[in-house]
Amino acid sequence: MTDLAVLSGAGKRVRRAAVDWTGIAFLAGLAVVILLPLIVTAVWAFAEVWRFPAIVPQRMGLGYWQDTLSRNDVWTALWLSLGITTTVTAISAAICFPAAYAFARLDFPGRNLLFLAFLSVQAFPKFGLIVATATIFLTLHLVGTFWGVVLIQLVGTLLYMIWIPVSAFQGVDRRLEEAARDVGATPMRVFWSITLPQALPTLFAAILITFVSTFYETDAAWLIGLPNVRTMPMVMISFINNALEVQYGAVLFVFLWVPSFLLMLAARRVMGADAFARGLGG
Amino acid sequence: MITASHPRAEGGGLSGLLLVALPVALLIWLVLWPVLQAVVGTVYFPGKGFSLSSYAFFFTDAYSLRNLWLTLWVTALTSALRVAVAMPIALYLRFRSGSIAALVQSLALFPLFVPSVLVAYAFIRVLGPNGIVDTVLVALGLPKLPTPYLTPAGPIIGLVWERLPLTLLLLLSGLGRVSIASVDAARDLGAGGLTIFSRIILPRIQSSIIVALAFNVLGLFSAFTLPYLLGPASPEMMGPYMQRTFSDNADPLNATTQAVITFAFCAAFGLVYVRAIARGRRGPA
Amino acid sequence: MNRREFLMASTVAGLAASTRFAAAATRIDMYTSSDANVSDFYGNVVKPAFEAANPGLELNVVIARPQAALDAVVQRALAALSTKSDPQLDFIEQYEPTLPAGGIEAGLWTDFGKAGLKSYAAVNKLAIQTPYGLPYRGSQVLIAYDTTKLSKDKVPKTFPDLVAWIKANPGEFIYNRPDKGGSGNNFVNRAVHEVSGRDPLKFTVDNYSQATADEVLGKTWALLGDLAPSLYQGGAYTAGNTASLQLLAQGAVTMIPAWSDQTLQAIAKGVLPETTGLVQLTDLALCGGFSQAVIPTNSAHFEGSLKLADFLLSQEMQTAIIEKLGGFPGVDWSNLPQALHDKYADVIPSSIPTFPAGDWTKAVQDGWYRNVAPNISRT
């Protein structure tokens, strides 16, 4: 059992120097499953002709890179996307985290029903809502504007930003909170020094998921953004959808590796097992 | 609805309502109201009155039922596979540190940054007919593999790959609440790995597992790109089926009916999560 | 340039750009969801020529791929009709005017028969299926095959020969799901023609009847169902035109139905090898289709949109469609120079059979999903 192996590794934390065989096994497995498709895609970004049964492309070149990156709209779209995504994530965190705390801890009328209702953000297929949504945005003159896209994408984040943090506040060990209160800590103090640190990794998971899924969201962006607002994935998808040349997609994909990788390192820092354990004194 | 008895209510109703007011207002205005309009539109026809005929059609139409059945089946299998794959990785990452663990985490989270369309392209280039796997096999003088492209296995492989990070993140964040000290203490008392997992770890991450499953179900019921690009033409999953009914058949009534039925299934799974939360509110056992 | 200067410079540039939009030109938002060759054609050929011919008008080419994006914008225009707001949509280069459901009834699309276009009389009568769409360019489906596996003289030239070849070479042919792309769709349409006496004129936009459909389509499903076990993977169907072309490019199949213009372009770009052969059936050609331009009646720049429609029918643009896009003209050949006709006579047929949109197409597509697609006998 992998689980057993993992746990026995954890049990003997003193002997860190031992070779991390479990980790190497995971690494090898993931390398094949995750990395291989990515590498193949990356090689396609440089391939001009690559036909079966050749193992490497018959002709390589940077032609598709030039075509893609010399386009102004790619760069404009990238900055625009980062702007929209950051705005959406920040507003969403500001309004949703307090709400999630309330859903997890406080008692108020209609709580369970309202909580369940957030499901409809993702569970009801978008096409059924297009006309109604478009009507609202048209009357507000938000079609084709930055804030229109921000608003519609903000709605799309509600489910993640409420449901995931609720599980975090729910999982906080109440005995610690009570102990703190018993020794005379104020409720605010308990929240900042006990509740929040315990919930933090999950809150960051929610932010990360929201950021990435908002960045790549297109359904709502098409409906409200066109013709003026064109985000990065909109450009990307119009490049690769029904395009015969796989290369455009591959180039944009490699192009997005850098920001993604930085984000992931940040994620490791925040969610990382060791950093967190130290915070808990575990 | 769900009655959450509350021995230790911490706050008044007013502050709770104020805290949730903004997201709830957005939700009602931009989602619930349009959803309600859509749902009413499938049963009430101005000038004609109430009718459930589109629902009757769905539940008597063998083709629609087969699509629904396929969706349920793929959802169950894919969710189970995701949790099964993500759990060992999450456990490993929680209790190990160091550069190898960091690499494992970076790799396992990578699919998060790959949009579905690219997953499909990469899939076709790797596992598709005469893709890289076939190329390597032929170069080694081995026979080609039967490709999962355009078979039911195609979308399942793609969907597990695509959403593995989400499941992993949720499990990992749940595991963050399991203190290493308690695991060590149990080990000192002579508990085996399996006991520790089921007695100490599982209860702490229950809500994370349930939320992970709930998101899986939601995502899979509306999955569109991968089933459509990688799967067989028929039976269809509900996502592509609804889209086709809506745009190609220009039949918004039946499409919305399919949407409402899908929605009902998702809501049922959502209820499980809400119940778990309500139960948890009563305080840890 | 330091960061602050850079920011200032870009702000100034942005201001300049926005005032230019506001003051100088009326902007026509023209949407397309067609493949890159068409959007490039608009950006590089139509836009400069149109703006030169119509001072004060600016053509904004909005790429809305995939189709679902354009569908959403059209739904938005329908919603704008009831709220009397600006749909921010002036012209669609290609859209099926019978969609969205209830669109024509609500008065969404402009009736070109009454719009007073100068050149409307020149449009090829056979191409007009409904006055709400303006057929301004066409293309045809033919058979693309791999000449390294099948020599030119052995290629099937009639539909019965094609069926015989598919059965004799199991796993070497694939067509896409009929609703996901015209190449597979027109292969299925050709099967409909085959079982109904090879007369495309039997089917028109307004002669759909359940009885005829049951009889004709029943036979079609029998024919296609019989073919299924001999297709790639014993009855698999790709998700679109490009997916089929990619299978051909990867050497996974020997033969597919494909759009002529798309295939020629793919060969030119090296996506398909030069050993790709093209052939048209001689007993009755595979269907083609005309791209129908539509104009929403609530377009904020309606006059400008009509000018664009007229411009696309001009001899200059129709010639460009033939020469630069590799397409088929939307106007009758009699309106184009004789020399042009002679030059392209070998490549471009004098007419192309079509299949009616609307009820017939819906019946064929949905019926195919219900009757042909499930009969998969995988081993």
Side-chain angles (χ1 to χ4, degrees), chain A residues 20 103 112 163 178 268 276, chain B residues 8 92 105 176 273 281:
Chain A
D20 186 359
F103 275 120
N112 287 329
W163 276 34
E178 275 160 29
R268 170 75 194 167
F276 185 70
Chain B
R8 289 178 299 178
Y92 163 77
Q105 179 168 337
Y273 180 55
R281 234 175 330 231

Side-chain angles (χ1 to χ4, degrees), chain A residues 4 10 16 20 23 33 44 103-104 111-112 119-120 155 163 170 178 209 212 216 240 246 264 268 273 276, chain B residues 1-2 4 8 31-32 92-95 97 105 112-113 118 121 125 161 166 176-177 193 267 273 280-281:
Chain A
L4 289 169
R16 271 278 165 79
D20 186 359
V33 176
W44 265 104
F103 275 120
R111 185 190 55 197
N112 287 329
L119 174 110
S120 49
V155 173
W163 276 34
Q170 197 67 67
E178 275 160 29
I209 291 168
V212 175
Y216 284 117
I240 58 189
V246 199
M264 218 140 46
R268 170 75 194 167
F276 185 70
Chain B
M1 281 242 4
I2 318 131
R8 289 178 299 178
V31 184
L32 289 186
Y92 163 77
L93 289 175
R94 174 67 187 94
F95 297 108
S97 50
Q105 179 168 337
L112 194 61
F113 302 95
L118 271 177
Y121 273 97
R125 293 292 151 186
W161 196 92
L166 183 76
R177 295 190 295 264
Y273 180 55
R281 234 175 330 231

Side-chain angles (χ1 to χ4, degrees), chain A residues 2-4 6-11 13 16 20 22-24 26-27 30-31 33-38 40-41 44 50 52-55 95 98-99 101-109 111-125 127-129 132 136-137 140 151 154-155 158-160 162-164 166-168 170-174 178 198 201-202 205 208-209 212 216 236-237 240 242-243 246 249 253 257 260 263-264 267-268 271 273-274 276-277 280 282, chain B residues 1-2 4 6 8-13 15-17 19-20 22-24 26-27 29-32 34-35 37-39 88-89 91-98 100-115 117-118 121-122 125-126 130 132 134-135 138-139 144 161 163 166 169-170 172-173 176-177 179-181 184 187 193-194 196-197 201 204 207-208 211 214-215 218 222 242-243 246 255-256 259-260 263 266-267 270-271 273-274 277-278 280-281 284:
Chain A
T2 346
D3 299 354
L4 289 169
V6 170
L7 292 179
S8 60
R13 278 165 70 232
R16 271 278 165 79
D20 186 359
T22 328
I24 289 169
F26 275 125
L27 211 55
L30 288 171
V33 176
I34 308 279
L35 222 49
L36 183 67
L38 300 182
V40 172
T41 314
W44 265 104
W50 191 5
F52 182 77
I55 289 195
I95 66 170
Y101 182 80
F103 275 120
R105 293 300 186 79
L106 305 180
D107 196 14
F108 51 90
R111 185 190 55 197
N112 287 329
L113 190 63
L114 288 176
F115 183 61
L116 182 65
F118 281 96
L119 174 110
S120 49
V121 169
Q122 302 245 318
F124 203 87
F127 68 80
L129 310 178
I136 295 172
F137 280 77
L140 292 177
L151 182 60
L154 177 65
V155 173
L158 292 178
L159 178 70
Y160 286 126
I162 288 188
W163 276 34
I164 298 174
V166 161
S167 81
Q170 197 67 67
V172 169
D173 194 334
R174 298 287 184 87
E178 275 160 29
Q198 283 204 61
T202 312
L208 182 67
I209 291 168
V212 175
Y216 284 117
M236 211 166 139
I237 288 190
I240 58 189
N242 288 338
V246 199
F253 173 63
W257 262 15
S260 311
L263 251 179
M264 218 140 46
R268 170 75 194 167
M271 311 254 323
D274 42 359
F276 185 70
L280 253 186
Chain B
M1 281 242 4
I2 318 131
H6 233 265
R8 289 178 299 178
E10 290 172 35
S15 51
L17 279 175
L19 284 174
V20 302
L22 266 175
V24 167
L26 268 181
L27 178 77
W29 177 42
L30 288 173
V31 184
L32 289 186
V35 166
Q37 281 178 306
V39 173
I89 304 180
L91 285 171
Y92 163 77
L93 289 175
R94 174 67 187 94
F95 297 108
R96 268 289 186 165
S97 50
I100 292 186
L103 270 175
V104 168
Q105 179 168 337
S106 307
L107 273 185
L109 289 186
F110 214 99
L112 194 61
F113 302 95
V114 186
V117 183
L118 271 177
Y121 273 97
R125 293 292 151 186
V126 176
N130 293 351
I132 198 78
D134 278 354
T135 307
V138 167
K144 293 181 192 175
W161 196 92
R163 284 296 195 95
L166 183 76
L169 268 177
L170 291 173
L172 204 53
S173 70
R177 295 190 295 264
S179 78
I180 291 178
D184 282 348
R187 180 162 302 281
L194 215 55
I196 294 178
F197 180 69
I201 297 178
R204 305 295 293 148
S207 67
S208 294
V211 74
F215 280 121
L218 285 179
S222 53
M242 290 186 280
Q243 193 66 47
F246 182 73
T256 315
V260 174
F263 180 59
C266 293
L271 212 55
Y273 180 55
V274 175
I277 291 295
R281 234 175 330 231

Side-chain angles (χ1 to χ4, degrees), chain C residues 58 73-74 89-90 105 121 144 157 176 188 247 269 290 305 327 354:
Chain C
E58 185 194 331
V73 171
V74 169
L89 158 69
D90 297 310
E105 291 78 1
K157 300 250 170 42
N176 66 268
V188 173
L247 282 184
K269 286 195 172 177
F290 284 89
S305 304
T354 56

Side-chain angles (χ1 to χ4, degrees), chain C residues 41 45 319-327 344:
Chain C
F41 176 71
V45 179
T319 308
I321 284 168
I322 298 169
E323 292 188 324
K324 303 221 165 102
L325 199 58
Y344 287 93

